[in-house]
Amino acid sequence: MPALAGSSPSTARDLEHLRHAIDLSGRAVARGDHPFGAVLAGPDGTLLLAAENTVVTDRDCTGHAETNLVRLACRAHTPEFLRGTTLYTSAEPCAMCAGAIYWSGIGRVVFGLPEADLLRLTGSHPDNPTMALPCREVFARGQRPVEVVGPLLAEEAAGPHAGFWTEQ
Ligand SMILES: [Zn+2]
């Protein structure tokens, strides 16, 4: 399959970290939150941080997995270091999370489920009325590049969403 326009090649390590993020999205559901997870890997590919969605349990509408992860990352690392890191997320970052990633200095994003697929899954669900704004469009308006890889493993990433938005 040819690479998507604007998408860089992924590695076996990328898929490993992305599967970890997808696994966390399932764990978030088991805890009573929404099915989203994210992890951060260092320049050498080692796992640094992990986060899950906490919108329900924290009663925080900004508690998306990526935003939670960015908060942890900024407390632990400098923007200079974060430029060499990769954020893996089970679903494409929304506009808020893409903004948080931009402000953090994180240099690369790998995502599973594309936002358009998530929008089809959630519909207009009041708890998650998904936006229709690809993260590449958000990053394109910034003053520094953020490399984006995805969608990858979209079917696996959709797994924890099965029935979630229709049975609430
Ligand atoms: Zn988000």
Side-chain angles (χ1 to χ4, degrees):
M1 197 175 84
L4 290 169
S7 191
S8 307
S10 59
T11 65
R13 201 69 179 278
D14 285 335
L15 297 181
E16 186 183 314
H17 286 308
L18 184 56
R19 285 199 166 99
H20 186 178
I22 293 168
D23 183 53
L24 292 176
S25 74
R27 284 204 240 170
V29 173
R31 286 189 303 95
D33 275 297
H34 296 167
F36 301 98
V39 302
L40 188 74
D44 61 356
T46 56
L47 178 70
L48 298 176
L49 295 164
E52 298 172 10
N53 179 288
T54 58
V55 163
V56 178
T57 50
D58 283 350
R59 295 175 62 96
D60 177 3
C61 65
T62 70
H64 291 191
E66 305 98 309
T67 299
N68 287 339
L69 188 63
V70 164
R71 289 192 186 103
L72 295 173
C74 290
R75 287 178 194 136
H77 303 287
T78 65
E80 291 71 30
F81 177 82
L82 290 176
R83 260 191 274 285
T85 64
T86 298
L87 182 147
Y88 298 84
T89 175
S90 60
E92 182 171 0
C94 72
M96 174 183 75
C97 292
I101 291 164
Y102 171 75
W103 294 118
S104 74
I106 290 169
R108 185 167 178 262
V109 172
V110 177
F111 71 84
L113 192 67
E115 190 177 55
D117 286 9
L118 180 65
L119 177 56
R120 277 192 290 276
L121 287 163
T122 66
S124 59
H125 196 291
D127 290 347
N128 203 94
T130 305
M131 299 174 80
L133 178 54
C135 71
R136 286 182 176 88
E137 290 189 31
V138 177
F139 294 133
R141 306 297 181 98
Q143 297 191 37
R144 67 173 187 89
V146 179
E147 184 185 348
V148 179
V149 179
L152 291 173
L153 307 176
E155 278 185 33
E156 286 180 42
H161 293 264
F164 185 84
W165 303 107
T166 51
E167 292 166 9
Q168 299 284 304

